[in-house]
Amino acid sequence: MLRLKKSVLLSSVLLTVACQKSDLNNSEIQINELEKKSSSSEKYQWQLPELNLQEKKDLVSSVKTVFNDFYVNRNQKVIDYNYDAIAQANKLDENMDSENLLKSTMEIFFNIRDLHTGFIYPVPARCYSGGFPITVGLSYDEKYGYKERLIVSAKLTPSLSLSNVSAEAKSDFEALSVGDEILTIRNIGIEGYENQEIYANTAIDLIGKIGRGANPEAFKSRALQRLFSRNGRYIKIPEGNFTLKVKRASDGKIVKYTLPWLTYVSGEQICNDYFNKKSPRIENGLESIDNSVENIYEKNNKKNEETFVKDLYTNSTSNQNIVKYIAKYKRKSIAVIRINRFIPDGDFSYSDYLVARKYIENEVNDIRKFIMHNRSKIQGVLIDVRGNGGGFGSFPQLIANAFTHKFVKNLEVRPLVSKTNRDTFYNLEMSRYFARLNTTDPMQGPNLSTVNEMDSYLADSNYSEQIQSRTLLLSSADRYDGDENDALPETYNKKDTEILKPVLTIKPIAVLTNSNCYSACDVFVSLMKDYKIAKIFGTAKQTGGGGANVIEWKDFLTPVVVDELGTKISIIPNGSQLPRNSEIRFAWNKIYRPYAVKDYEKYIEGVGVVTDYVYRQTTQDLINNDKIVFRKIFEDLIDPKNSKGFYLKRW
């Protein structure tokens, strides 16, 4: 995801590194204490609030504005899924009852299957998550004819020590093993399916429909993430017990295990405020949960992103964003660079784009130094971006420039033409200009080229029908990022700027990705492919396909100065506040790949980046961090015949 502000990370969905430790610290005890305080009262169970008439009007107005005036992927979603978000948004009515209105709103965001466009339920619903401490994956073992099988890939805790869990459930959990194949699930935890036993592939299909995966690969990968991890921000969390029928890895015997869905309460400040207001009795209980959802967000700079059950059980001792090492394979040396996110480490405010840029440059320069120090002895480079959820747009651009003599430009963006969008661009650019007057980094003047181009279309009767139907996109707009680093400074140029000078252009480069690679990660993979820098390997056929600049509704409602008189208005004209800490974020500028070879890959949204070679995960890969996949790519990198077609002269 391309960055907007501290509160927006693309996306959404961001994952912990596959090889992170999964041992418990003290979270079991903490969660147990929380459940003892909250599970006994119906007040502290997932529920949607009753909105008053004004709150309903504000919600309806905001959703309609998003889809009628801003949402840039509408036409694509009509083609891909035969679903028109504008038509559905315009059906919302403030006279609907609260539950129906909120669920109908959520349904629109689910059905467009756009990772960058989502709705978050209000409190108290958003303050809960639910699931169970296991993770799963799909394996494709030769032994089974590469048949797709659902496998338990990890147990996040060795035992269930919660006091309100039965002895039978504890015993069943201990008997469940990594590598076991899940055949069926009873009580998948979705309304309407509580008492049904369904096959594993059906479960994936049901969960996938709430996962917003924009292509078939992302549909499955997001379903797998959410199979045992649901967030109350988006859906009612599962309740009661569920039963797994599994085929044991140890002896092939088919057995059943009955286990409890667990509930976790967020420690976000808005949730603390809500619960404290409702019942001061549990104030101390909430504050004692050091491993609460909000603390996970703060620790990982993941504000307003979806968290997963595994985050609550992970005891990560390292916040290192980029891991670099030399791997030995058949007496050859290969440089491996693991990039968790395109967001640099460091204790700094993402709202300060100058500081952000400095940290980005530091991390890119560390990569450059690592390559330069080892380039004489390495056979090639493997850059691992599996599960990278995105970040700052200039980050992947700078890395790509290190491996080619060509200047790698950032990708173009294309917004929707509408009067409201035109005024929003104007207010944004003027606010940016006046915010930087008399600073150490002033702007030369407001850049109103996008506004002027929209004005020309809005005044031209030849385009009135397209504008009215919301089908007209601007050919190319000024890239907006809240931290202003998606476009490199004008002082950067390939010839004179050290950070843009290539460090390795004659040895093979491989990129390893998967369908949990989104936004700035999608951009990185596309740059490496489109500029013929690297061959793209994946455990899936395509990346996640989330291609857009993203904004949060509430951020653009903040009053800003837009003229020399000090006039303050919101960036979105006449925007309404969303009720009770509900939130909307949406795809605003569509990312375009001018050098994509295939026409269907021109836009990142949906398709993502199609990989050159696919190495599906085996059970051993699921359990051992894709160990076999790595070996296959190492074999390709040292192949003297260059059978995979690596680009060896990147001029």
Side-chain angles (χ1 to χ4, degrees), residues 222-500:
R222 291 183 66 78
L224 293 170
Q225 287 176 296
R226 288 151 188 76
L227 202 55
F228 294 100
S229 182
R230 315 287 172 77
N231 200 305
R233 294 173 165 215
Y234 312 105
I235 189 172
K236 181 179 179 180
I237 61 174
E239 300 173 344
N241 294 324
F242 63 97
T243 299
L244 300 179
K245 181 193 287 185
V246 307
K247 183 178 181 180
R248 293 198 308 215
S250 59
D251 57 12
K253 185 177 180 181
I254 295 177
V255 297
K256 288 187 177 182
Y257 300 126
T258 297
L259 303 160
W261 288 114
L262 302 179
T263 299
Y264 310 93
V265 180
S266 170
E268 290 180 275
Q269 187 57 51
I270 58 173
C271 297
N272 280 338
D273 291 344
Y274 173 82
F275 289 128
N276 290 342
K277 182 177 180 181
K278 297 286 286 186
S279 175
R281 290 184 297 108
I282 66 168
E283 179 178 356
N284 294 332
L286 283 171
E287 290 181 349
S288 70
I289 309 304
D290 295 332
N291 215 31
S292 66
V293 173
E294 174 67 6
N295 288 323
I296 294 294
Y297 286 146
E298 295 287 4
K299 181 176 69 175
N300 295 318
N301 293 321
K302 290 174 60 176
K303 200 79 167 164
N304 284 343
E305 289 178 17
E306 185 173 1
T307 192
F308 298 96
V309 167
K310 72 175 183 178
D311 295 326
L312 300 173
Y313 289 85
T314 297
N315 180 21
S316 176
T317 57
S318 172
N319 196 34
Q320 192 173 5
N321 186 46
I322 297 178
V323 178
K324 309 177 292 292
Y325 62 93
I326 301 297
K328 296 290 186 179
Y329 183 75
K330 293 187 176 179
R331 299 184 180 179
K332 302 288 186 179
S333 296
I334 298 169
V336 179
I337 302 169
R338 164 68 194 174
I339 306 174
N340 291 322
R341 287 185 290 168
F342 290 104
I343 300 167
D345 289 338
D347 182 15
F348 65 95
S349 170
Y350 292 142
S351 61
D352 186 337
Y353 80 98
L354 289 175
V355 177
R357 185 179 292 158
K358 174 185 174 183
Y359 277 87
I360 290 170
E361 291 177 355
N362 289 344
E363 290 203 354
V364 172
N365 278 323
D366 282 344
I367 292 175
R368 291 168 53 84
K369 290 174 184 177
F370 170 71
I371 295 297
M372 286 190 289
H373 179 73
N374 293 287
R375 62 185 172 186
S376 62
K377 64 182 180 182
I378 59 175
Q379 184 74 17
V381 179
L382 172 57
I383 303 176
D384 174 16
V385 290
R386 293 166 301 152
N388 184 316
F392 294 99
S394 62
F395 209 144
Q397 182 185 8
L398 289 173
I399 295 175
N401 271 286
F403 298 102
T404 179
H405 286 284
K406 296 178 182 178
F407 175 61
V408 179
K409 297 190 296 183
N410 215 322
L411 300 183
E412 298 176 6
V413 297
R414 300 185 173 184
L416 181 71
V417 176
S418 76
K419 179 62 167 61
T420 302
N421 208 3
R422 178 264 181 213
D423 292 344
T424 299
F425 267 99
Y426 178 85
N427 293 339
L428 171 65
E429 187 61 25
M430 298 305 292
S431 70
R432 209 159 53 168
Y433 171 70
F434 284 104
R436 287 169 58 179
L437 276 178
N438 303 317
T439 69
T440 57
D441 191 50
M443 296 174 69
Q444 296 301 312
N447 183 352
L448 299 177
S449 59
T450 294
V451 173
N452 294 334
E453 190 175 354
M454 281 201 188
D455 279 339
S456 68
Y457 282 113
L458 290 165
D460 191 334
S461 59
N462 292 323
Y463 295 97
S464 60
E465 185 176 335
Q466 288 177 271
I467 292 170
Q468 289 299 319
S469 63
R470 299 297 189 261
T471 58
L472 182 62
L473 300 185
L474 217 57
S475 58
S476 185
D478 303 318
R479 176 180 293 276
Y480 171 68
D481 180 274
D483 309 297
E484 297 187 65
N485 55 60
D486 277 345
L488 295 179
E490 293 180 2
T491 55
Y492 281 33
N493 64 74
K494 190 74 170 178
K495 181 179 178 182
D496 301 324
T497 304
E498 191 67 29
I499 200 170
L500 292 178

